[in-house]
């Protein structure tokens, strides 16, 4: 099937010429196309077609990165429809059909993680995707950070949509592309930046600027602009007027009551029955106040809010309402929104009100009025811009200079159809720049000595726009330490909103809890808030409304999410929950099963040479440390001194996943045994790292945990992660039939410098990072871990 037919079959629409070019030509670097002309469909359908045809230059994972949370469900929904229509074509060609995965936070091991050989489309915000690309994934278990890091950097096609809205994340996207080009991924990856108002200089960061000049860009040529459908949308009439209401220092007081009262009256006066009126304001608080003011008048029109501070369930319902048709004979609807509707939201309005914003943002907002040229009367569609007083000290996500430039443009415009709008000459966003050294340091996932992680938020989003997560449960009585939030329960909050809510709750102790991943329990939160944090709040204390979203001042009890389930983000340091299975699994069998799965992955992913040999060696020995008496005591439900001649088990139905020795990590014992018996060759350290890292808990550094109990009071033998110097392992049968002899464990490598076991662990791991680079090292680490997962899954189902 030729491409035009393929596109029409999937989308139901004939393609524009630029969409055909994207589908049949080699990939470009930049796409600059006006709003309303199907950029998402152009890119996703082109990727699907090239995967169907076996294009070697098209990576198997498409990462669709969006600046706004409200876009994820809508984009994922469209992709699901296209995949359903593509399924018969992929089936007939015997090509694996990609899966679609919206990344919202709280997902537990989706298939794109567990099956890296299958094609996948992952749709998420820049918060979710860039945090994973920086080894600090939001809303997930810290111990799975390396896996997501590996998969988003290898065999990955990054699409950054509406880049004019990305803020600090834009420079980070450019730097990450530069690092992949210079450090080399294990599998080829690429990036594509997309916008209706694109300035390639935004991407000219310190490490990418030399390549930006040669970037190829796809836009509309003169002939395409004259195409009837394109011309109608580009020339869609939108008369521009200044609103009678202005935001000032005076009328913004007391939660902007005076401002929203005047604006509500003006909006209601301009609204036309049977149509949509859209009002876009620059803060969540003002949208909530405006909707409340409109509601007090009892309008006939349907009214609702759209912003990013809703739980996923409520947000999905709002998205469906956005997409619903408006009956021409009805009262119409009034939608109050933040900049969440600026990009990618497939909706149109007859009347648009917008607060002053940077020019690139205003262009996107204008695109939500008479979007398809459906209002043929030039006087029928109106855009009203709301001025903001200069120098009034108003809190704003935008700097005064960009607002002043936009005001100047607006004062010289009569209409704002795409054909009438001037281009953008805005400078690149100013923010923290991710340098190579900073990026490499993020490869170490251990907290620092004070217990804190490196804060990557300044590299992802403007610091005034970073988020944490809240969810609400009843906190009466004891809190189950195993309780986890589900994705549908999580509500995002800006740091400012979070601080306001926590300040109010602070007067009532115990109404905000965080999960201590080391201790494995929920504890009262008294620390500083930081991006990506997940807090459980007492549902009886309020803070959220189904109609208005997050409301720090609300004291109305928060309704529970029905059947929330649990996520995979609550794994603790010391547990081994994957060792819990219906029937006992001998250790020798599990080592053999994991080796077999590792061989399958090597064939699937065409891994060969030294890296293949290292991966197989690690898989064959990754769980030797489970022979340790502490682990065997957990498997057999006895004390370590009673394991005796009992069979060595890798998994058992008797375990709770918790060991008698706090923080015990069997993979550390496995790694030490390898180093004590390994041949001295070029792969020794790589195999040691892959063994140690296969649970994500022992990686670049090796030290005792902050409150880890010593084996005896005072100065004693070295100890770390529950392993004591002098611990013994019994003989272990390896998959090749050989016996690993009894081993007395040593921890010399904890010390800095060179000791009895050679270089320190820190020196070995830093050398590996320099030799292999972060992308290849994380990739190999992930494959060993996946081999273990696949073997464990088969053993749980009795398929080994």
């Amino acid at each position: 099937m030729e491409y035009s037919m393929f596109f029409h079959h999937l989308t139901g629409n004939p393609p524009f010429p630029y969409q055909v070019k994207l589908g049949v030509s080699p990939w470009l670097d930049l796409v600059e196309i006006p709003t309303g002309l199907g950029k998402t469909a152009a890119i996703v359908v082109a990727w699907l077609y090239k995967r169907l045809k076996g294009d070697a230059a098209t990576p198997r994972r498409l990462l669709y990165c969006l600046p706004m949370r409200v876009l994820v469900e809508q984009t994922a929904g469209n992709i699901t429809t296209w995949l359903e229509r593509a399924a018969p074509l992929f089936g007939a060609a015997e090509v694996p059909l990609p899966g679609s995965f919206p990344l919202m936070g709280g997902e537990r091991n989706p298939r794109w993680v567990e099956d890296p050989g299958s094609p996948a489309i992952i749709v998420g915000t820049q918060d979710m995707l860039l945090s994973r690309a920086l080894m600090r994934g939001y809303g997930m278990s810290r111990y799975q950070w390396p896996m997501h890091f590996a998969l988003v950097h290898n065999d990955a096609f990054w699409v950054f949509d509406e880049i004019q809205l990305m803020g600090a994340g834009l420079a980070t996207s450019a730097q990450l592309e530069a690092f992949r080009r210079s450090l080399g991924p294990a599998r080829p990856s690429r990036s594509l930046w997309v916008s209706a108002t694109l300035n390639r200089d935004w991407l000219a960061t310190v490490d990418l600027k030399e390549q930006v000049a040669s970037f190829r860009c796809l836009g509309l040529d003169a002939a395409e602009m004259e195409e009837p459908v394109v011309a109608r949308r580009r020339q869609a009439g939108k008369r521009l007027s200044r609103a009678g209401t202005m935001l000032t220092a005076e009328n913004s007081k007391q939660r902007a009551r005076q401002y929203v009262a005047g604006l509500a009256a003006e909006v209601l006066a301009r609204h036309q029955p049977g149509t949509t009126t859209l009002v876009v304001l620059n803060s969540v608080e003002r949208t909530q106040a405006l909707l409340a003011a409109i509601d007090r008048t009892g309008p006939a029109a349907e009214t609702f809010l759209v912003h990013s501070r809703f739980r996923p369930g409520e947000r999905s319902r709002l998205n469906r309402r956005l997409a619903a048709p408006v009956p021409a004979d009805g009262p119409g609807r009034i939608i109050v929104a933040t900049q969440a509707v600026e990009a990618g939201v497939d909706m149109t309005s007859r009347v648009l009100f917008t607060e002053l914003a940077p020019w690139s943002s205003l262009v996107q907002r204008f695109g939500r009025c008479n979007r398809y040229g459906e209002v043929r009367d030039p006087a029928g569609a109106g855009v009203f811009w709301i001025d903001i007083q200069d120098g009034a000290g108003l809190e704003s996500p935008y700097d005064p200079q960009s607002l002043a430039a936009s005001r100047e443009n607006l004062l010289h415009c009569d209409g704002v159809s795409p054909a009438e709008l001037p281009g953008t000459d805005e400078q690149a966003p100013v923010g923290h720049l991710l340098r190579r050294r900073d990026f490499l340091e993020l490869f170490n996932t251990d907290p620092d000595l004070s217990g804190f992680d490196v804060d990557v938020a300044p590299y992802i989003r403007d610091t005034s726009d970073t988020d944490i997560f809240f969810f609400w449960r009843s906190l009466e009585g004891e809190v189950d330490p195993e309780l986890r939030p589900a994705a549908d329960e999580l509500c995002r909050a800006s740091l400012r909103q979070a601080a306001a809510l926590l300040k109010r709750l602070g007067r009532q102790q115990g109404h905000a809890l965080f999960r201590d991943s080391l201790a494995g329990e929920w504890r009262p939160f008294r620390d500083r808030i930081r991006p990506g944090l997940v807090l459980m709040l007492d549902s009886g204390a309020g803070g959220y409304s189904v109609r208005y979203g997050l409301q720090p001042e609300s004291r109305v009890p928060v309704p529970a999410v029905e059947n929330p389930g649990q996520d995979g983000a609550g794994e603790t340091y010391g547990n081994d929950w994957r060792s819990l299975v219906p029937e006992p699994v001998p250790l020798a069998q599990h080592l053999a099963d994991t080796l077999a799965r590792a061989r399958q992955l090597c064939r699937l992913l065409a891994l060969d040479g030294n890296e293949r040999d290292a991966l197989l060696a690690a898989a064959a020995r990754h769980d030797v440390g489970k022979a340790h008496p502490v682990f065997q005591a957990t498997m057999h439900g006895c004390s370590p001194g009673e394991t005796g001649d009992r069979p060595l088990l890798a998994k058992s139905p008797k375990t709770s996943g918790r060991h008698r020795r706090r923080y015990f990590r069997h993979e550390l014992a496995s790694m030490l045994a390898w180093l004590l018996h390994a041949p001295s060759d070029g792969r020794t350290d790589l195999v040691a790292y892959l063994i140690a890292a296969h649970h994500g808990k022992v990686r670049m550094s090796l030290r005792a945990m902050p409150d880890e109990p010593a084996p005896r009071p005072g100065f004693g033998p070295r100890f770390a992660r529950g392993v004591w110097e002098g611990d013994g392992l019994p003989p272990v049968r390896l998959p090749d039939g050989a016996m690993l002899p009894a081993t007395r464990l040593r921890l010399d490598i904890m010390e800095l410098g060179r000791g009895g076991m050679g270089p320190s662990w820190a020196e070995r791991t830093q050398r590996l990072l320099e030799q292999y680079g972060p992308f290849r090292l994380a990739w190999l680490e992930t494959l060993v871990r996946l081999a273990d997962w696949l073997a464990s899954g088969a053993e749980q189902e009795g398929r080994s």
Side-chain angles (χ1 to χ4, degrees), residues 462-483:
D462 296 333
T463 52
S464 61
D465 195 26
T466 48
D467 291 345
I468 73 168
F469 299 86
F470 288 137
F471 72 103
W472 286 262
R473 295 281 185 100
S474 173
L475 299 187
E476 294 182 3
E478 293 291 324
V479 177
D480 181 358
E482 300 303 320
L483 185 151

Short mmCIF file of all heavy atoms in Angstrom, two decimals, residues 462-483:
data_model
loop_
_atom_site.label_atom_id
_atom_site.label_comp_id
_atom_site.label_asym_id
_atom_site.label_seq_id
_atom_site.Cartn_x
_atom_site.Cartn_y
_atom_site.Cartn_z
N ASP A 462 10.85 25.21 33.80
CA ASP A 462 11.18 26.40 34.57
C ASP A 462 10.90 26.14 36.04
O ASP A 462 9.89 25.52 36.39
CB ASP A 462 10.34 27.60 34.09
CG ASP A 462 10.66 27.97 32.65
OD1 ASP A 462 11.80 27.69 32.21
OD2 ASP A 462 9.79 28.51 31.96
N THR A 463 11.79 26.59 36.91
CA THR A 463 11.71 26.24 38.32
C THR A 463 10.40 26.67 38.96
O THR A 463 9.98 26.10 39.97
CB THR A 463 12.88 26.85 39.10
OG1 THR A 463 12.94 28.27 38.82
CG2 THR A 463 14.19 26.22 38.67
N SER A 464 9.73 27.66 38.41
CA SER A 464 8.44 28.09 38.95
C SER A 464 7.31 27.18 38.50
O SER A 464 6.17 27.34 38.92
CB SER A 464 8.13 29.52 38.51
OG SER A 464 8.04 29.58 37.09
N ASP A 465 7.62 26.19 37.64
CA ASP A 465 6.57 25.37 37.05
C ASP A 465 6.83 23.88 37.26
O ASP A 465 6.40 23.06 36.48
CB ASP A 465 6.48 25.68 35.55
CG ASP A 465 5.19 25.16 34.92
OD1 ASP A 465 4.20 25.02 35.66
OD2 ASP A 465 5.20 24.87 33.71
N THR A 466 7.60 23.54 38.31
CA THR A 466 7.87 22.14 38.57
C THR A 466 6.83 21.59 39.54
O THR A 466 6.20 22.32 40.28
CB THR A 466 9.28 21.97 39.15
OG1 THR A 466 9.47 22.91 40.22
CG2 THR A 466 10.33 22.21 38.09
N ASP A 467 6.68 20.27 39.54
CA ASP A 467 5.54 19.64 40.20
C ASP A 467 5.95 18.58 41.23
O ASP A 467 7.02 17.99 41.14
CB ASP A 467 4.65 18.95 39.17
CG ASP A 467 3.93 19.93 38.28
OD1 ASP A 467 3.88 21.12 38.63
OD2 ASP A 467 3.41 19.50 37.24
N ILE A 468 5.01 18.32 42.16
CA ILE A 468 5.04 17.13 42.97
C ILE A 468 3.68 16.44 42.79
O ILE A 468 2.79 16.96 42.11
CB ILE A 468 5.32 17.42 44.46
CG1 ILE A 468 4.11 18.05 45.14
CG2 ILE A 468 6.54 18.31 44.62
CD1 ILE A 468 4.25 18.10 46.65
N PHE A 469 3.52 15.26 43.39
CA PHE A 469 2.28 14.50 43.26
C PHE A 469 1.60 14.36 44.62
O PHE A 469 2.26 14.08 45.62
CB PHE A 469 2.57 13.08 42.72
CG PHE A 469 3.20 13.04 41.36
CD1 PHE A 469 4.58 13.13 41.22
CD2 PHE A 469 2.43 12.89 40.23
CE1 PHE A 469 5.16 13.08 39.97
CE2 PHE A 469 3.01 12.83 38.98
CZ PHE A 469 4.37 12.94 38.85
N PHE A 470 0.28 14.53 44.62
CA PHE A 470 -0.53 14.24 45.80
C PHE A 470 -1.51 13.12 45.46
O PHE A 470 -1.97 12.98 44.32
CB PHE A 470 -1.36 15.46 46.22
CG PHE A 470 -0.58 16.58 46.85
CD1 PHE A 470 -0.83 17.90 46.51
CD2 PHE A 470 0.40 16.33 47.80
CE1 PHE A 470 -0.13 18.95 47.10
CE2 PHE A 470 1.11 17.36 48.39
CZ PHE A 470 0.84 18.67 48.04
N PHE A 471 -1.86 12.32 46.48
CA PHE A 471 -3.03 11.46 46.38
C PHE A 471 -3.69 11.41 47.75
O PHE A 471 -3.06 11.69 48.77
CB PHE A 471 -2.71 10.06 45.84
CG PHE A 471 -1.96 9.17 46.80
CD1 PHE A 471 -2.61 8.15 47.48
CD2 PHE A 471 -0.60 9.32 47.00
CE1 PHE A 471 -1.93 7.32 48.36
CE2 PHE A 471 0.10 8.48 47.86
CZ PHE A 471 -0.57 7.48 48.56
N TRP A 472 -4.99 11.09 47.77
CA TRP A 472 -5.78 11.20 48.99
C TRP A 472 -6.32 9.84 49.40
O TRP A 472 -6.87 9.09 48.58
CB TRP A 472 -6.94 12.16 48.79
CG TRP A 472 -6.56 13.61 48.76
CD1 TRP A 472 -6.61 14.50 49.79
CD2 TRP A 472 -6.06 14.36 47.64
NE1 TRP A 472 -6.18 15.75 49.38
CE2 TRP A 472 -5.83 15.68 48.07
CE3 TRP A 472 -5.76 14.03 46.32
CZ2 TRP A 472 -5.34 16.68 47.23
CZ3 TRP A 472 -5.27 15.00 45.47
CH2 TRP A 472 -5.07 16.31 45.93
N ARG A 473 -6.12 9.51 50.67
CA ARG A 473 -6.70 8.31 51.27
C ARG A 473 -7.13 8.65 52.70
O ARG A 473 -6.63 9.62 53.29
CB ARG A 473 -5.67 7.17 51.33
CG ARG A 473 -5.20 6.62 49.99
CD ARG A 473 -6.20 5.67 49.38
NE ARG A 473 -5.69 5.07 48.15
CZ ARG A 473 -5.16 3.85 48.07
NH1 ARG A 473 -5.06 3.11 49.18
NH2 ARG A 473 -4.72 3.37 46.93
N SER A 474 -7.99 7.83 53.26
CA SER A 474 -8.34 8.00 54.66
C SER A 474 -7.16 7.58 55.52
O SER A 474 -6.61 6.48 55.36
CB SER A 474 -9.57 7.15 55.00
OG SER A 474 -9.82 7.20 56.40
N LEU A 475 -6.76 8.44 56.43
CA LEU A 475 -5.62 8.15 57.30
C LEU A 475 -6.06 7.80 58.72
O LEU A 475 -5.26 7.86 59.65
CB LEU A 475 -4.66 9.35 57.32
CG LEU A 475 -4.04 9.73 55.97
CD1 LEU A 475 -2.99 10.81 56.15
CD2 LEU A 475 -3.44 8.52 55.27
N GLU A 476 -7.31 7.43 58.86
CA GLU A 476 -7.77 6.99 60.18
C GLU A 476 -7.21 5.60 60.47
O GLU A 476 -7.25 4.71 59.63
CB GLU A 476 -9.30 6.95 60.21
CG GLU A 476 -9.96 8.32 60.09
CD GLU A 476 -11.47 8.23 60.18
OE1 GLU A 476 -11.98 7.11 60.41
OE2 GLU A 476 -12.14 9.27 60.03
N GLY A 477 -6.67 5.42 61.65
CA GLY A 477 -6.10 4.13 62.03
C GLY A 477 -4.71 3.95 61.44
O GLY A 477 -4.07 4.88 60.95
N GLU A 478 -4.23 2.69 61.46
CA GLU A 478 -2.90 2.37 60.96
C GLU A 478 -2.87 2.42 59.43
O GLU A 478 -3.82 2.01 58.77
CB GLU A 478 -2.47 0.97 61.43
CG GLU A 478 -2.25 0.85 62.93
CD GLU A 478 -1.03 1.63 63.37
OE1 GLU A 478 -0.04 1.67 62.61
OE2 GLU A 478 -1.06 2.23 64.46
N VAL A 479 -1.76 2.91 58.91
CA VAL A 479 -1.58 2.96 57.45
C VAL A 479 -0.80 1.74 57.01
O VAL A 479 0.29 1.46 57.55
CB VAL A 479 -0.84 4.24 57.03
CG1 VAL A 479 -0.59 4.24 55.53
CG2 VAL A 479 -1.64 5.47 57.44
N ASP A 480 -1.34 1.00 56.08
CA ASP A 480 -0.67 -0.19 55.56
C ASP A 480 0.66 0.21 54.94
O ASP A 480 0.70 1.01 54.00
CB ASP A 480 -1.57 -0.85 54.51
CG ASP A 480 -0.96 -2.13 53.93
OD1 ASP A 480 0.16 -2.49 54.32
OD2 ASP A 480 -1.63 -2.74 53.07
N PRO A 481 1.78 -0.35 55.43
CA PRO A 481 3.08 0.03 54.86
C PRO A 481 3.23 -0.36 53.40
O PRO A 481 4.06 0.21 52.68
CB PRO A 481 4.09 -0.71 55.75
CG PRO A 481 3.32 -1.81 56.39
CD PRO A 481 1.94 -1.29 56.56
N GLU A 482 2.43 -1.33 52.94
CA GLU A 482 2.52 -1.77 51.54
C GLU A 482 1.60 -0.97 50.62
O GLU A 482 1.56 -1.22 49.42
CB GLU A 482 2.18 -3.26 51.44
CG GLU A 482 3.09 -4.16 52.24
CD GLU A 482 4.55 -3.98 51.85
OE1 GLU A 482 4.83 -3.84 50.65
OE2 GLU A 482 5.40 -3.97 52.76
N LEU A 483 0.85 -0.01 51.17
CA LEU A 483 -0.06 0.79 50.36
C LEU A 483 0.72 1.59 49.32
O LEU A 483 1.76 2.16 49.62
CB LEU A 483 -0.85 1.73 51.26
CG LEU A 483 -1.96 2.59 50.65
CD1 LEU A 483 -3.03 2.87 51.68
CD2 LEU A 483 -1.43 3.91 50.10
#
